[in-house]
Amino acid sequence: MSATDKPVVLFGGGGFVGRRVAQELLSKGYRVRIAQRMPRQAMAVRSLGNMGQTQLLAVDITKPGQVAAALAGAGAAVNLVGLLKGDMVSAHVIGARNIAEAAAAQGLDALVHVSAIGADPASNSAYGRTKGEGEAAVRAAFPGATIVRPSIMFGQDDGFTNRFAQLIATGSSVPLVRAVPLIRGETRFQPVNVADVARAIAQAVESPETFGGQTFELGGPDVMTLAQINHWIADQIGRKVRFLPMPDGLASALAAMTGWAPGAPITRDQFRMLLHDNVVAADAPGFERFGIKPAPMAALAPAWLTHYRRQGRFGAPVRA
């Protein structure tokens, strides 16, 4: 699809991943239409392109009429909508189906659906189950869609490395305690740079004849346990802290308190997700199909983790 032809609609384009996808497409000359429930949350995207290159629309993806209107005159669409809590059926299944059906009805050249590793209609977590059901709905309505399943994504303003760094910094500052609880420390992840995922999505938009109708799992070059990730972050921010492995029974009980106990560290559904590794399947096509060599977390994350040192970027050097 030519960048000078029709706009690309990014559902949820003002979010963590969407902003990178928008930046990638804008840099290639595409016009981008951001469609989400609260467009003001995507105002920062306007500064990424030239005047008139970006349009913001208020769209509720559970309403087929609004979805169809957002896709009017478009050449491609990317569904980036995802929730870790709340009404996941509406977001991941109903909304995904509405987007795919409207994209098919309007004859779009390309549809990219962003799912997640672990998406499975038989999953015991609501997130994994609804993501799996959403994939099935997309495939049924738009067989030529490209589905991408990233592992946990990192980036300067992520909710992953920053969240752990904040917890570690806080725990290390408590006198006499200097400890942080660790839930499911043995669970494995394959952290992936959000910018690399955005590059793959942009390629899928550009070349549906190459990537359409396929599912790709995108993970970084390193597989790490949650315990290893926490220890690495603690080293990077120069914080001496003890990690206290939390038994599954206690962690599950704490997760069950979410909703009325402010101190509950994760939701029950997030705990269920942690019962399974979040790594690319051995036989799954991935970044190699896009010609992308993903960047390791160790090469990029230290640049923003310095904020969590005691003296910020002027803090003591960290261990390699």
Side-chain angles (χ1 to χ4, degrees):
M1 187 179 69
S2 171
T4 59
D5 291 342
K6 302 174 181 179
V8 179
V9 182
L10 304 183
F11 291 94
F16 174 61
V17 187
R19 292 192 298 273
R20 272 69 176 192
V21 175
Q23 184 173 20
E24 194 71 25
L25 292 171
L26 290 168
S27 70
K28 295 175 180 292
Y30 284 94
R31 287 179 290 134
V32 171
R33 188 180 294 166
I34 306 295
Q36 60 186 65
R37 190 185 293 269
M38 302 179 70
R40 68 175 180 271
Q41 296 177 344
M43 290 299 292
V45 177
R46 283 190 180 277
S47 64
L48 301 177
N50 298 320
M51 184 175 296
Q53 200 178 359
T54 306
Q55 180 184 11
L56 305 183
L57 294 178
V59 176
D60 181 345
I61 62 172
T62 66
K63 300 184 182 303
Q66 293 186 19
V67 172
L71 290 174
V78 182
N79 180 15
L80 297 136
V81 178
L83 299 177
L84 286 174
K85 57 184 178 180
D87 188 354
M88 297 185 198
V89 172
S90 292
H92 299 161
V93 185
I94 297 173
R97 180 183 296 113
N98 289 340
I99 291 170
E101 289 179 349
Q106 298 195 32
L108 266 62
D109 298 321
L111 172 63
V112 182
H113 178 74
V114 181
S115 186
I117 288 179
D120 184 349
S123 174
N124 63 347
S125 80
Y127 181 83
R129 182 174 64 255
T130 55
K131 278 293 189 181
E133 292 170 351
E135 287 187 6
V138 168
R139 276 276 178 257
F142 198 115
T146 303
I147 294 175
V148 295
R149 296 174 171 175
S151 183
I152 190 76
M153 287 179 273
F154 64 86
Q156 185 165 358
D157 54 341
D158 66 30
F160 172 55
T161 61
N162 286 289
R163 175 174 172 78
F164 285 131
Q166 181 62 57
L167 290 171
I168 292 167
T170 300
S172 67
S173 300
V174 179
L176 302 179
V177 179
R178 302 188 188 283
V180 173
L182 182 62
I183 297 174
R184 295 294 300 172
E186 67 274 24
T187 301
R188 299 187 306 153
F189 289 85
Q190 200 166 344
V192 60
N193 180 20
V194 65
D196 290 330
V197 173
R199 290 169 59 200
I201 292 171
Q203 284 193 41
V205 168
E206 285 188 293
S207 304
E209 69 282 357
T210 301
F211 303 106
Q214 302 175 70
T215 299
F216 301 92
E217 297 199 352
L218 306 179
D222 302 317
V223 174
M224 307 170 69
T225 66
L226 199 55
Q228 290 172 327
I229 291 170
N230 274 271
H231 281 285
W232 180 81
I233 291 175
D235 285 348
Q236 292 301 308
I237 65 176
R239 301 281 186 161
K240 293 184 178 180
V241 63
R242 292 179 298 129
F243 290 100
L244 304 178
M246 186 175 293
D248 284 354
L250 178 57
S252 179
L254 283 175
M257 295 186 212
T258 301
W260 63 271
I266 59 174
T267 68
R268 180 181 295 181
D269 200 63
Q270 288 170 334
F271 176 75
R272 288 172 179 156
M273 289 160 58
L274 285 174
L275 295 174
H276 306 280
D277 290 338
N278 194 271
V279 298
V280 171
D283 58 346
F287 277 121
E288 72 283 351
R289 296 285 297 276
F290 296 90
I292 295 172
K293 184 177 181 180
M297 189 167 65
L300 300 176
W304 62 82
L305 290 177
T306 55
H307 172 73
Y308 298 96
R309 297 180 192 171
R310 293 188 186 281
Q311 289 81 38
R313 64 188 180 90
F314 300 104
V318 298
R319 297 197 296 272

